[in-house]
DNA sequence: CGACATTATGTTTACGTAACCATCACCGCA
DNA sequence: TGCGGTGATGGTTACGTAAACATAATGTCG
């Protein structure tokens, strides 16, 4: 038997494989063993009706004996469907992204889809551009984008036409299907909670300027204060990290009038707590702190953190539902789906002293 | 023009697409426009040599004009390679898994591979079995398994033969290629650090019994104490969550002889810190605490946590290198790659009082 | 100046699957 | 007894790509 070069190389490492089969077993092999046509094997493989029980059993036995696995590539080539959803995301260091991703993966799995991860190395235009231009080559039926939206705006790219897209936390609802948590309402709840406790005003440690979510939380913080006729203190800028929260906290600890702080995420709130502790400012005795996200650890901070709960699972579910609907209807559907947030009151907030 | 049913449906939603092309553009279309053979288009597409510059430019122009994207399925079917690595993982709620996954995705992207996420719904045998049996259908060239190993052991499954595998944090080094952090040495460093500070012994809050990593950390803790001739206190069992750490802490806070605790991860250490604070036990004044993982927030705990740093980036890199090597050589290579750990001393540990 | 490499390009084929149509056996019924 | 119908199965083809092979056009050197 004259093997081609490729095949002999392929065989080289197959210590466990039976010496007979050098190629992967295909429908034809199964068909030969079960003494039916390849077409019947296909029918059995896909659970189509119109196959006699006896024949089906014989085919299934042959499949098992040969260890047959359908070839995804061939199937995808024929059907034009990959049963795969691409997820473009910039970083996994923020809790939100990861939790959303996990929910997406779970929901997708339930629908028989798998997730292809498309990391964007740098949040630069080039990085995004690269991911998006290569996108057409990826074997995906749809795309979910988890990323700061301004990159989508400035990057002079468009997604390949005909590929369903859902974007998370973006204001591109006019062009794309968007799933968004109700950032504004969450921030409003946080600020109102503090005001209702009797604080005269609320300071804010915001996320990075480029972040759409950070912008929205900051805007709602400002608007809520203004609506209540309160003074709006200068905004402190963080970068989502606990460390940046710590730096902001060092400054706030020396601010005499400051009795309440709203941090744009829980990590920064954690840094705040440390800074307050280091400077002998009691939480919530001297200063109340509210976070955002409700990460699993938030209830175990010292003290347990009052924070705005985000339902990432719901976000992920909506994303998957969105792309699947688009896949099935073959229609783009711009618009925004809002997932509500709710305040979880723990022990980092209290009435101001005196 | 008589469209088949499928094609007309496909056209329905194409609001933006030009009315002409109903099918995706293929090499043939490009070839026709550029007035060359499909094969030449293939050569240009893959950057093969032996194409005249003038021709290449003409083909590239045609590609751009038609918006040509290579068809991944066809390419994979022909070449037998998907340029995709499957990652089987059970949960994204542990920092380690996520950080490892991120590193894997980044390393893989650098090598031109993408990641297919294969979540295992439940850590039951059925769940694993399902993921593994369906594995052969997934369009992956190799598999990286991030999961508690005992499931691999008990589940009566074997990975499809011929698919390269790398397992993270497992003791299956005799059968698979394994990348493992030096759990034992990390735990040893943690315990030694506390003993060197003058503590008579060290308590341990372990991870769940089924976890291989938890087992190894607990075993090393015990061994290190015994080697130093110290008494081994009863082991407390947690489940990785901050909450379980909190519960363990409530018990330890009432343990008079307890001056030093080694928690099997940082989340549980966080819960410990809260429990100590609630019970008026100063850290590190009354009790020293050491964690494991060195999550980004660990430096912002109250107080900043002394912990064992794991180099997840390195783990991810080794995983990708491992599977790529196996893909290229077509050889399974059982064995263990150890990634070192190192103790990061912060402010949660000190000499025992008195 | 003719045999011969070298380069550029085209033609054929196969990858594994599933849609479509063809065939065939068998059934009930007139 | 023969006819239409139904259910089970087989044959053919196409999906888009790239390897292998074939061919044509140039140049090169003895």
């Amino acid at each position: 038997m004259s093997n081609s070069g490729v095949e002999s190389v392929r065989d080289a490492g197959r210590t466990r494989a039976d010496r007979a089969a050098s190629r992967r077993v295909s429908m034809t092999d199964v068909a030969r063993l079960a003494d039916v046509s390849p077409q019947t094997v296909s029918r059995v493989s896909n659970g189509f009706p119109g196959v006699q029980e006896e024949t089906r059993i014989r085919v299934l036995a042959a499949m098992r004996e040969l260890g047959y696995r359908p070839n995804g590539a061939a199937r995808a080539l024929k059907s034009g469907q990959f049963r795969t959803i691409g997820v473009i995301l910039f970083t996994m260091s923020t809790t939100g992204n990861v939790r959303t991703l996990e929910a997406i993966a779970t929901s997708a799995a339930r629908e028989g889809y798998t997730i292809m991860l498309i990391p964007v190395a740098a949040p630069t235009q080039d990085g995004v551009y690269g991911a998006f231009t290569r996108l057409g080559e990826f074997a995906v039926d749809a795309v979910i984008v988890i990323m700061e939206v301004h990159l989508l705006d400035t990057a002079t790219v468009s997604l390949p036409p005909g590929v369903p897209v859902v974007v998370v936390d973006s204001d591109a609802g006019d062009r794309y299907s968007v799933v968004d948590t109700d950032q504004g309402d969450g921030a409003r709840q946080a600020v109102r909670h503090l005001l209702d406790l009797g604080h005269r005003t609320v300071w804010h440690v915001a996320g990075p300027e480029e972040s759409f979510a950070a912008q929205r939380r900051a805007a709602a913080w400002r608007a809520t204060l203004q609506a209540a006729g309160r003074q709006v203190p200068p905004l402190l800028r963080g970068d989502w990290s606990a460390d940046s929260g710590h730096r902001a906290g060092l400054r706030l600890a020396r601010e005499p009038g400051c009795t309440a702080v709203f941090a744009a995420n829980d990590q920064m709130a954690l840094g705040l707590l440390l800074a307050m502790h280091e400077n002998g400012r009691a939480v919530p005795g001297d200063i109340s702190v509210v976070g955002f996200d409700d990460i699993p650890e938030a209830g175990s901070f010292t003290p347990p953190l009052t924070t705005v709960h985000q339902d990432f699972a719901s976000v992920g579910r909506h994303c998957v539902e969105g792309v699947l609907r688009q896949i099935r209807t073959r229609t783009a559907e711009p618009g925004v789906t809002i997932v509500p947030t709710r305040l979880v009151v723990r022990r980092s907030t209290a009435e101001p002293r005196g």
Side-chain angles (χ1 to χ4, degrees), chain A:
Chain A
M1 168 184 176
S2 89
N3 263 333
S4 79
V6 170
E7 280 182 331
S8 53
V9 168
R10 181 179 289 167
D11 285 340
R14 292 234 177 162
T15 47
R16 290 170 297 181
D18 37 2
R19 45 248 162 272
S22 85
R23 273 197 335 284
R24 252 184 78 160
V25 326
S26 78
M27 282 192 162
T28 318
D29 304 315
V30 176
R32 197 161 24 230
L33 179 59
D35 196 29
V36 295
S37 74
Q39 186 53 229
T40 300
V41 178
S42 170
R43 278 188 271 260
V44 171
S45 175
N46 295 345
F48 272 55
V51 177
Q52 214 163 359
E53 193 54 23
E54 188 202 7
T55 312
R56 169 187 307 280
I57 288 171
R58 207 168 64 239
V59 170
L60 286 173
M63 283 179 172
R64 249 192 309 280
E65 181 174 341
L66 297 176
Y68 168 75
R69 311 268 172 215
N71 179 319
R75 185 174 280 191
L77 175 60
K78 194 74 186 78
S79 69
Q81 299 242 111
F82 300 93
R83 300 197 74 76
T84 293
I85 298 170
V87 176
I88 299 185
L89 89 174
F90 161 50
T91 174
M92 292 195 218
S93 34
T94 66
T95 323
N97 285 5
V98 172
R99 307 270 309 279
T100 305
L101 174 62
E102 179 165 31
I104 287 172
T106 308
S107 303
R110 217 188 337 265
E111 302 281 346
Y113 279 72
T114 45
I115 295 303
M116 178 157 286
L117 223 47
I118 308 175
V120 177
T124 61
Q125 291 197 18
D126 276 1
V128 180
Y129 185 83
F132 275 54
T133 43
R134 273 178 296 126
L135 195 58
E137 304 181 33
F138 293 130
V140 297
D141 298 324
V143 173
I144 297 173
V145 181
I146 309 180
M147 209 168 23
E148 307 302 340
V149 72
H150 64 104
L151 289 172
L152 268 182
D153 287 340
T154 53
T156 55
V157 298
S158 64
L159 290 160
V163 177
V165 182
V166 168
V167 185
V168 176
D169 280 358
S170 154
D171 60 354
D174 53 328
R175 286 167 297 152
Y176 299 115
S177 179
V178 169
V179 175
D180 199 1
T181 41
D182 200 340
Q183 316 276 355
D185 186 59
R188 194 193 55 71
Q189 289 182 62
V191 174
R192 281 276 10 141
H193 168 66
L194 291 166
L195 295 182
D196 290 348
L197 282 170
H199 295 273
R200 306 199 44 180
T201 191
V202 176
W203 293 63
H204 181 47
V205 181
E209 217 158 351
E210 324 83 62
S211 160
F212 181 63
Q215 280 171 26
R216 296 250 298 237
R217 290 170 202 179
W221 158 75
R222 190 184 312 274
T224 307
L225 285 182
Q226 284 168 344
R230 308 304 172 91
Q231 205 204 325
V232 178
L235 176 148
L236 303 191
R237 184 68 69 183
D239 62 5
W240 295 136
S241 75
D243 211 53
S244 70
H246 182 247
R247 282 192 297 273
L250 292 179
R251 221 196 100 190
L252 287 175
R254 272 178 282 115
E255 199 73 48
C258 172
T259 67
V261 186
F262 166 43
N265 78 345
D266 289 349
Q267 273 84 3
M268 295 195 296
L270 178 66
L272 277 174
L273 294 180
L274 173 61
M276 294 307 163
H277 181 82
E278 287 172 341
N279 286 268
R281 309 273 284 161
V283 176
D286 299 318
I287 296 194
S288 289
V289 174
V290 176
F292 207 110
D293 281 354
D294 194 23
I295 63 175
E297 290 80 21
S300 300
F301 286 4
T302 307
L305 186 71
T306 296
T307 187
V308 178
H309 181 85
Q310 289 208 67
D311 191 349
F312 296 110
S314 173
V315 172
R317 216 164 35 238
H318 278 103
C319 286
V320 173
E321 282 170 12
V323 293
L324 290 187
R325 198 165 44 238
Q326 290 188 53
I327 288 172
R328 284 195 270 266
T329 63
R330 297 184 180 283
T331 318
E333 39 177 42
V336 181
T337 305
I338 297 285
V339 177
T341 51
R342 73 169 199 280
L343 186 73
V344 177
V345 179
R346 296 205 181 90
R347 307 210 304 265
S348 66
T349 51
E351 299 173 6
R353 213 193 282 283

